[in-house]
Short mmCIF file of all heavy atoms in Angstrom, two decimals:
data_model
loop_
_atom_site.label_atom_id
_atom_site.label_comp_id
_atom_site.label_asym_id
_atom_site.label_seq_id
_atom_site.Cartn_x
_atom_site.Cartn_y
_atom_site.Cartn_z
N ALA B 311 -9.06 47.00 32.47
CA ALA B 311 -8.03 48.04 32.34
C ALA B 311 -8.09 48.99 33.54
O ALA B 311 -7.07 49.43 34.06
CB ALA B 311 -8.23 48.82 31.05
N LYS B 312 -9.31 49.27 34.00
CA LYS B 312 -9.46 50.16 35.16
C LYS B 312 -8.87 49.48 36.40
O LYS B 312 -8.20 50.14 37.22
CB LYS B 312 -10.95 50.47 35.38
CG LYS B 312 -11.20 51.65 36.29
CD LYS B 312 -10.76 52.93 35.60
CE LYS B 312 -10.84 54.12 36.55
NZ LYS B 312 -10.29 55.33 35.94
N GLY B 313 -9.11 48.19 36.52
CA GLY B 313 -8.51 47.44 37.64
C GLY B 313 -6.99 47.48 37.57
O GLY B 313 -6.31 47.63 38.58
N ALA B 314 -6.46 47.37 36.34
CA ALA B 314 -5.00 47.41 36.16
C ALA B 314 -4.44 48.77 36.58
O ALA B 314 -3.35 48.86 37.14
CB ALA B 314 -4.65 47.10 34.71
N GLU B 315 -5.24 49.83 36.32
CA GLU B 315 -4.78 51.18 36.72
C GLU B 315 -4.59 51.28 38.23
O GLU B 315 -3.81 52.09 38.72
CB GLU B 315 -5.84 52.22 36.31
CG GLU B 315 -5.74 52.66 34.87
CD GLU B 315 -6.84 53.66 34.54
OE1 GLU B 315 -7.28 54.40 35.44
OE2 GLU B 315 -7.27 53.66 33.37
N LEU B 316 -5.32 50.44 38.96
CA LEU B 316 -5.20 50.45 40.42
C LEU B 316 -4.02 49.62 40.89
O LEU B 316 -3.83 49.40 42.08
CB LEU B 316 -6.49 49.93 41.06
CG LEU B 316 -7.72 50.79 40.82
CD1 LEU B 316 -8.99 50.03 41.15
CD2 LEU B 316 -7.64 52.06 41.67
N GLY B 317 -3.26 49.10 39.94
CA GLY B 317 -2.06 48.32 40.30
C GLY B 317 -2.28 46.83 40.26
O GLY B 317 -1.41 46.07 40.68
N LEU B 318 -3.46 46.39 39.81
CA LEU B 318 -3.71 44.95 39.74
C LEU B 318 -3.28 44.44 38.36
O LEU B 318 -3.98 44.64 37.37
CB LEU B 318 -5.19 44.65 40.00
CG LEU B 318 -5.73 45.18 41.33
CD1 LEU B 318 -7.22 44.90 41.47
CD2 LEU B 318 -5.00 44.55 42.50
N ALA B 319 -2.12 43.83 38.30
CA ALA B 319 -1.52 43.40 37.04
C ALA B 319 -2.30 42.24 36.42
O ALA B 319 -3.08 41.58 37.12
CB ALA B 319 -0.08 42.97 37.29
N PRO B 320 -2.08 41.98 35.13
CA PRO B 320 -2.81 40.87 34.48
C PRO B 320 -2.55 39.51 35.13
O PRO B 320 -3.35 38.60 34.97
CB PRO B 320 -2.26 40.89 33.05
CG PRO B 320 -1.78 42.27 32.84
CD PRO B 320 -1.31 42.76 34.17
N GLU B 321 -1.46 39.39 35.85
CA GLU B 321 -1.18 38.10 36.51
C GLU B 321 -2.06 37.89 37.74
O GLU B 321 -2.09 36.81 38.32
CB GLU B 321 0.29 38.02 36.95
CG GLU B 321 1.29 37.99 35.81
CD GLU B 321 1.57 39.36 35.23
OE1 GLU B 321 1.21 40.37 35.88
OE2 GLU B 321 2.12 39.43 34.12
N ILE B 322 -2.73 38.95 38.17
CA ILE B 322 -3.58 38.84 39.36
C ILE B 322 -4.99 38.43 38.94
O ILE B 322 -5.46 38.80 37.86
CB ILE B 322 -3.58 40.20 40.11
CG1 ILE B 322 -2.19 40.41 40.73
CG2 ILE B 322 -4.67 40.25 41.18
CD1 ILE B 322 -1.98 41.76 41.32
N CYS B 323 -5.63 37.66 39.79
CA CYS B 323 -6.98 37.14 39.53
C CYS B 323 -7.87 38.18 38.82
O CYS B 323 -8.14 39.25 39.38
CB CYS B 323 -7.59 36.73 40.86
SG CYS B 323 -9.29 36.25 40.76
N SER B 324 -8.33 37.83 37.63
CA SER B 324 -9.09 38.82 36.86
C SER B 324 -10.47 39.14 37.43
O SER B 324 -10.92 40.28 37.32
CB SER B 324 -9.18 38.40 35.39
OG SER B 324 -9.57 37.07 35.28
N PRO B 325 -11.19 38.19 38.05
CA PRO B 325 -12.44 38.60 38.69
C PRO B 325 -12.20 39.67 39.76
O PRO B 325 -12.98 40.62 39.87
CB PRO B 325 -12.97 37.30 39.30
CG PRO B 325 -12.45 36.24 38.39
CD PRO B 325 -11.08 36.71 38.00
N HIS B 326 -11.12 39.52 40.52
CA HIS B 326 -10.83 40.54 41.53
C HIS B 326 -10.41 41.85 40.87
O HIS B 326 -10.75 42.94 41.33
CB HIS B 326 -9.76 40.05 42.51
CG HIS B 326 -10.29 38.99 43.44
ND1 HIS B 326 -9.66 37.79 43.64
CD2 HIS B 326 -11.41 38.96 44.18
CE1 HIS B 326 -10.39 37.06 44.48
NE2 HIS B 326 -11.45 37.75 44.82
N ARG B 327 -9.64 41.72 39.77
CA ARG B 327 -9.25 42.91 39.01
C ARG B 327 -10.52 43.60 38.47
O ARG B 327 -10.64 44.82 38.50
CB ARG B 327 -8.33 42.49 37.86
CG ARG B 327 -7.64 43.61 37.14
CD ARG B 327 -6.36 43.15 36.47
NE ARG B 327 -6.41 41.83 35.91
CZ ARG B 327 -6.43 41.54 34.61
NH1 ARG B 327 -6.39 42.50 33.73
NH2 ARG B 327 -6.44 40.29 34.17
N GLY B 328 -11.45 42.76 38.02
CA GLY B 328 -12.69 43.29 37.47
C GLY B 328 -13.54 43.98 38.53
O GLY B 328 -14.10 45.05 38.29
N VAL B 329 -13.62 43.36 39.72
CA VAL B 329 -14.40 43.97 40.81
C VAL B 329 -13.81 45.33 41.16
O VAL B 329 -14.54 46.32 41.32
CB VAL B 329 -14.39 43.04 42.06
CG1 VAL B 329 -14.91 43.78 43.28
CG2 VAL B 329 -15.26 41.81 41.80
N ALA B 330 -12.48 45.40 41.24
CA ALA B 330 -11.83 46.68 41.54
C ALA B 330 -12.17 47.70 40.45
O ALA B 330 -12.49 48.86 40.74
CB ALA B 330 -10.33 46.48 41.65
N GLY B 331 -12.12 47.23 39.18
CA GLY B 331 -12.41 48.12 38.06
C GLY B 331 -13.85 48.61 38.11
O GLY B 331 -14.11 49.80 37.88
N ILE B 332 -14.78 47.73 38.44
CA ILE B 332 -16.20 48.11 38.50
C ILE B 332 -16.42 49.18 39.58
O ILE B 332 -17.13 50.16 39.37
CB ILE B 332 -17.08 46.86 38.75
CG1 ILE B 332 -17.17 46.03 37.47
CG2 ILE B 332 -18.46 47.25 39.24
CD1 ILE B 332 -17.83 44.68 37.64
N PHE B 333 -15.78 48.97 40.72
CA PHE B 333 -15.93 49.96 41.80
C PHE B 333 -15.29 51.29 41.40
O PHE B 333 -15.86 52.35 41.66
CB PHE B 333 -15.29 49.43 43.10
CG PHE B 333 -16.27 48.72 43.97
CD1 PHE B 333 -16.68 47.43 43.67
CD2 PHE B 333 -16.83 49.36 45.07
CE1 PHE B 333 -17.62 46.78 44.44
CE2 PHE B 333 -17.78 48.71 45.85
CZ PHE B 333 -18.17 47.42 45.55
N ALA B 334 -14.11 51.20 40.76
CA ALA B 334 -13.43 52.44 40.37
C ALA B 334 -14.24 53.20 39.32
O ALA B 334 -14.24 54.42 39.29
CB ALA B 334 -12.04 52.12 39.85
N LEU B 335 -14.92 52.44 38.45
CA LEU B 335 -15.74 53.08 37.41
C LEU B 335 -17.10 53.52 37.93
O LEU B 335 -17.88 54.12 37.20
CB LEU B 335 -15.95 52.09 36.24
CG LEU B 335 -14.74 51.80 35.36
CD1 LEU B 335 -15.00 50.58 34.49
CD2 LEU B 335 -14.44 53.01 34.47
N GLU B 336 -17.38 53.17 39.19
CA GLU B 336 -18.69 53.45 39.81
C GLU B 336 -19.81 52.89 38.93
O GLU B 336 -20.84 53.54 38.71
CB GLU B 336 -18.86 54.95 40.07
CG GLU B 336 -17.83 55.47 41.05
CD GLU B 336 -17.98 56.95 41.37
OE1 GLU B 336 -18.85 57.59 40.76
OE2 GLU B 336 -17.22 57.43 42.22
#
Side-chain angles (χ1 to χ4, degrees):
Chain B
K312 196 69 187 174
E315 277 178 30
L316 295 165
L318 303 177
E321 294 80 15
I322 290 172
C323 174
S324 48
H326 287 129
R327 191 156 37 109
V329 167
I332 285 171
F333 267 77
L335 288 166
E336 297 181 356

